[in-house]
Amino acid sequence: MRRGLNVLWAMALLCGGVHAAEWQRGIEHQRIADLGDGTYLNPVLAGDHPDPSVLKDGEDYYLTLSSFDAYPGLPLWHSRDLVNWQPLGHAITTNVGAIWAPDLVKFKGRYYIYFPARRGEAGTRSNFVVWADDIRGPWSEPVDLGLAKYIDPGHAVGEDGKRYLFLSGGDYVQLSDDGLKVVGTPRHVYDGWKYPESWDVEAYAQEGPKITRHGDWFYMTTAVGGTAGPPTGHMVITARSRSIHGPWQNAPNNPITRTQSASEPWWSRGHATLVEGTDGRWWMIYHGYENGFWTLGRQALLEPIEWTPEGWFVAKGGDLGQPLRKPSGQALAHGMPLSDRFDGKQLGPQWAFYDPAPDEYRRLAFGAQGLTVSGKGQTPRDSSPLTAIATDPAYEFQVRMRIAPGAVGGALLFYSDRLYAGVGSNGKDFILHRYGEERPKQLVPGPGGELWIRVRNDRHIVTIHTSRDGQAWTKYPVQMEVSGYHHNVAGKFLALKPALYAAGQGQVTFLDFRYQALD
C-alpha cells in the first residue's frame, strides 16, 4: 500500500522547502497572531486555510485543511501552542480532484487523513484515506473508500474499540480495523439541530462531523447553515451520546458559535474541531471569512471554550475581534515566506499548481539562475498556474521573468480557471486578463525578452506596473476592482491568490518573486 510517488514530486517534498535566509526574509510579511504579551489576535493562520482539522499528539499539534484544486495537497502544519504554526510539507501529490474538509487522526501509532474529493464541476466524487507512520511522511498513495454520496468524513473510535467514519447528513459507517476499507453500509444516526427559520443562512448543509470523547460522553461537533452565502449563515453545533451508536442529544446552547451580524469582524464562522490545550484548557479551531474579504478565503480561527458542570461546552471568544489569552506551550517560529528567489533545488512550500496533470512537475527546471517553467496551454485557464496564498487585505508582489521566444509569461490574481485578473507578455506585446477573459483573445508567438511585473491589490483595487529593467516602471493603462472574485460569485470555495503562469511553446524563467504586505 505504500505510495509510488513520481520521483520528482518526492524530491521536492522531502528536500524541505526553503533556505534559512529565505525564511528570515519572508517571515516579516506574515500576519502573525501572537501579540507577544501573552495574548493573540485571530486569525492564527491568515489567508485561505479552510476546514482546519487539528490533532493533539503529546505536546505537539498537527493540522491539515482543505486544499481543493491546489497540488501538492493536504498541507501539514505543526504547533506547540495552537497559535504559532510551521509548515511540515504535504500529504498528497496524486491529483484525485478538489479536496474538501479532511480529518487528521492518529490510531495505534499511525497517522491517517480521511478526506473527500471531486473531479470537475459535475464529476465523480469519492472519499479517500492516506496514512503514514511518521507525520512528516512518506505518506501512502490515496486509498479510495467509495461513499460517493457523502463529504467531510470524521474518524471515531467507539466504546467497542471499532473504528467508524461519521459523514455529512448525520450518517456513519464502520471501518475495517486497519482503517482502509468500509465495513457494511452507512446508517443514519443524527438529524442535526434546526435553527430558527428567520435566520439568514445559505442552506441547512449538515456537514463536517468531528467526534471528541470527553469524560463519559462522545461529542459530535458539526457545521450547519452553509459555508458561504450570507455572513450570518455558517455556525457550530454539537450533540452528545453515551454510545458512538447514539442516540445523540443536542446541546441546549446550540449554536455554540455563530456570526450574528455582518458588522462583526469575522463572517460565516463554523466547521470546528475541538482540542485540549497543554494546560487543560479547551479550544475550537474553525474557519471564517474576514469582514469584507471573501477574496482571501476562509481563514483559521482559534476560540477558547469552557466545559459546564452539566457536561456541555460554551464558546468564550465573542466575535473574535479582540485579543484573547494565549494557550500555554512553546511558541515556534510562525508561518512561511511568500517571497522566493527561485535559486533552490526544489519548489518552495508556498507554491502549488492549480489542477495539475500527473506529470506537471516535469515542467519545472531548477537552477541558480531561476525557476524555468515550460509553457502549457494558451491562457491562465489551461496553463495550471503556480499559486501562493495571500495573507493580507492589502499587498503587492512583483516578479522578474525571462520569456523565451514562443512563450507567454504572466503574473495574476488567480481564483479559478473561470475567474482571474492580471497581465501576460510574449516579450513584446501584452495580453490583459480580466474577468477570466483575455484581450486580445490570444497572443501570437513573440520574440521573448526580460520583463518585470508588479501587481498591487490594495483592498480589492488592482494596479499593475511593468518594467524592462527593474528600474523604470510603467503603469499598465487598465486598473481593476476584484472584490467579486470569490465563491459567492464563482463558486468552488477558493481564494484569490498571487499566481505565475507560463503558456505557449517556449519556456519562462522566473528569477525573483517578492511579496509585501501593505499598511
Side-chain angles (χ1 to χ4, degrees):
M1 301 298 294
R2 297 306 273 171
R3 74 182 191 179
L5 271 183
N6 179 299
V7 173
L8 293 172
W9 277 113
M11 289 175 59
L13 295 178
L14 297 179
C15 285
V18 152
H19 301 156
E22 192 73 3
W23 177 281
Q24 294 300 322
R25 186 177 79 158
I27 198 70
E28 72 266 21
H29 301 315
Q30 303 300 301
R31 188 156 39 148
I32 297 174
D34 193 336
L35 299 181
D37 60 357
T39 66
Y40 73 98
L41 183 65
N42 278 295
V44 291
L45 278 172
D48 191 39
H49 295 92
D51 305 316
S53 172
V54 64
L55 166 68
K56 187 177 190 292
D57 188 16
E59 295 184 353
D60 296 291
Y61 299 94
Y62 301 108
L63 179 148
T64 192
L65 43 88
S66 297
S67 47
F68 294 96
D69 297 283
Y71 279 84
L74 292 175
L76 290 161
W77 293 81
H78 172 228
S79 176
R80 288 193 165 170
D81 65 357
L82 294 172
V83 171
N84 296 283
W85 294 89
Q86 291 182 344
L88 289 183
H90 296 77
I92 187 171
T93 59
T94 301
N95 188 346
V96 293
I99 293 176
W100 298 2
D103 194 24
L104 169 63
V105 299
K106 187 178 184 182
F107 182 75
K108 293 186 177 180
R110 178 167 284 176
Y111 299 92
Y112 300 82
I113 303 177
Y114 294 88
F115 63 94
R118 184 178 74 177
R119 284 194 178 278
E121 293 295 328
T124 58
R125 188 169 72 187
S126 193
N127 283 269
F128 299 83
V129 59
V130 292
W131 58 271
D133 292 319
D134 187 311
I135 192 70
R136 291 166 177 80
W139 286 83
S140 74
E141 282 289 291
V143 178
D144 192 341
L145 298 171
L147 303 169
K149 288 174 52 180
Y150 300 97
I151 60 171
D152 300 5
H155 179 271
V157 179
E159 71 274 17
D160 54 8
K162 298 294 184 181
R163 304 173 69 175
Y164 299 89
L165 274 187
F166 281 73
L167 305 159
S168 56
D171 291 2
Y172 80 128
V173 67
Q174 187 176 331
L175 290 171
S176 58
D177 291 344
D178 64 6
L180 303 181
K181 294 185 292 293
V182 168
V183 176
T185 57
R187 295 172 50 200
H188 188 72
V189 71
Y190 176 57
D191 290 330
W193 175 84
K194 303 302 189 294
Y195 46 76
E197 185 179 359
S198 60
W199 287 6
D200 292 327
V201 301
E202 182 181 30
Y204 184 67
Q206 182 181 323
E207 59 193 19
K210 296 290 189 292
I211 307 298
T212 305
R213 195 163 192 180
H214 182 67
D216 295 329
W217 295 93
F218 292 95
Y219 293 82
M220 186 195 317
T221 303
T222 59
V224 295
T227 293
T232 53
H234 213 28
M235 65 194 83
V236 175
I237 66 170
T238 198
R240 71 182 183 186
S241 173
R242 297 282 188 185
S243 169
I244 200 72
H245 307 288
W248 293 88
Q249 173 192 5
N250 282 311
N253 58 314
N254 277 335
I256 306 300
T257 285
R258 172 181 176 249
T259 301
Q260 299 185 49
S261 167
S263 64
E264 293 182 25
W266 292 98
W267 292 349
S268 300
R269 294 187 290 150
H271 204 109
T273 301
L274 305 189
V275 61
E276 184 179 10
T278 57
D279 58 359
R281 298 168 66 201
W282 279 76
W283 305 82
M284 293 189 297
I285 291 185
Y286 55 83
H287 63 221
Y289 287 105
E290 193 164 356
N291 188 320
F293 288 91
W294 276 304
T295 51
L296 284 174
R298 293 166 292 170
Q299 306 184 52
L301 310 173
L302 178 68
E303 178 168 7
I305 61 173
E306 290 182 2
W307 294 95
T308 70
E310 295 76 29
W312 296 104
F313 60 92
V314 296
K316 304 298 289 185
D319 65 10
L320 305 191
Q322 301 297 322
L324 297 166
R325 183 164 67 94
K326 271 186 60 183
S328 62
Q330 178 187 0
L332 305 176
H334 178 77
M336 63 179 170
L338 296 180
S339 298
D340 196 343
R341 292 190 183 95
F342 295 123
D343 57 356
K345 296 181 180 180
Q346 63 279 323
L347 196 64
Q350 67 271 55
W351 297 107
F353 281 110
Y354 177 83
D355 193 20
D359 61 348
E360 203 74 41
Y361 207 82
R362 295 186 180 275
R363 295 175 60 201
L364 306 182
F366 303 96
Q369 296 304 311
L371 171 68
T372 299
V373 184
S374 295
K376 175 184 176 180
Q378 299 298 323
T379 65
R381 74 171 55 86
D382 57 7
S383 69
S384 292
L386 283 168
T387 66
I389 295 172
T391 58
D392 305 279
Y395 60 90
E396 71 177 21
F397 64 91
Q398 72 177 54
V399 63
R400 178 187 177 191
M401 61 184 73
R402 291 182 182 144
I403 304 166
V408 175
L412 303 162
L413 294 171
F414 188 87
Y415 180 79
S416 73
D417 53 0
R418 295 172 51 195
L419 195 58
Y420 47 85
V423 164
S425 176
N426 60 10
K428 176 185 177 183
D429 302 314
F430 289 100
I431 182 170
L432 171 66
H433 308 294
R434 183 169 58 169
Y435 321 126
E437 299 174 347
E438 278 68 49
R439 185 175 295 178
K441 289 292 184 182
Q442 185 175 326
L443 280 183
V444 299
E450 194 153 13
L451 181 68
W452 283 253
I453 300 178
R454 178 185 297 155
V455 179
R456 171 176 285 230
N457 181 1
D458 191 350
R459 295 166 178 83
H460 308 311
I461 304 301
V462 177
T463 55
I464 298 173
H465 288 75
T466 63
S467 175
R468 298 292 180 180
D469 59 6
Q471 301 296 320
W473 293 84
T474 300
K475 187 176 183 180
Y476 195 78
V478 177
Q479 286 78 62
M480 291 168 264
E481 201 278 345
V482 294
S483 62
Y485 285 46
H486 58 77
H487 172 79
N488 283 353
V489 173
K492 303 194 78 168
F493 299 105
L494 305 176
L496 192 60
K497 299 178 180 180
L500 309 176
Y501 81 94
Q505 298 303 310
Q507 297 176 324
V508 180
T509 298
F510 299 101
L511 292 92
D512 195 16
F513 176 86
R514 303 179 188 180
Y515 176 96
Q516 177 66 58
L518 304 175
D519 293 333

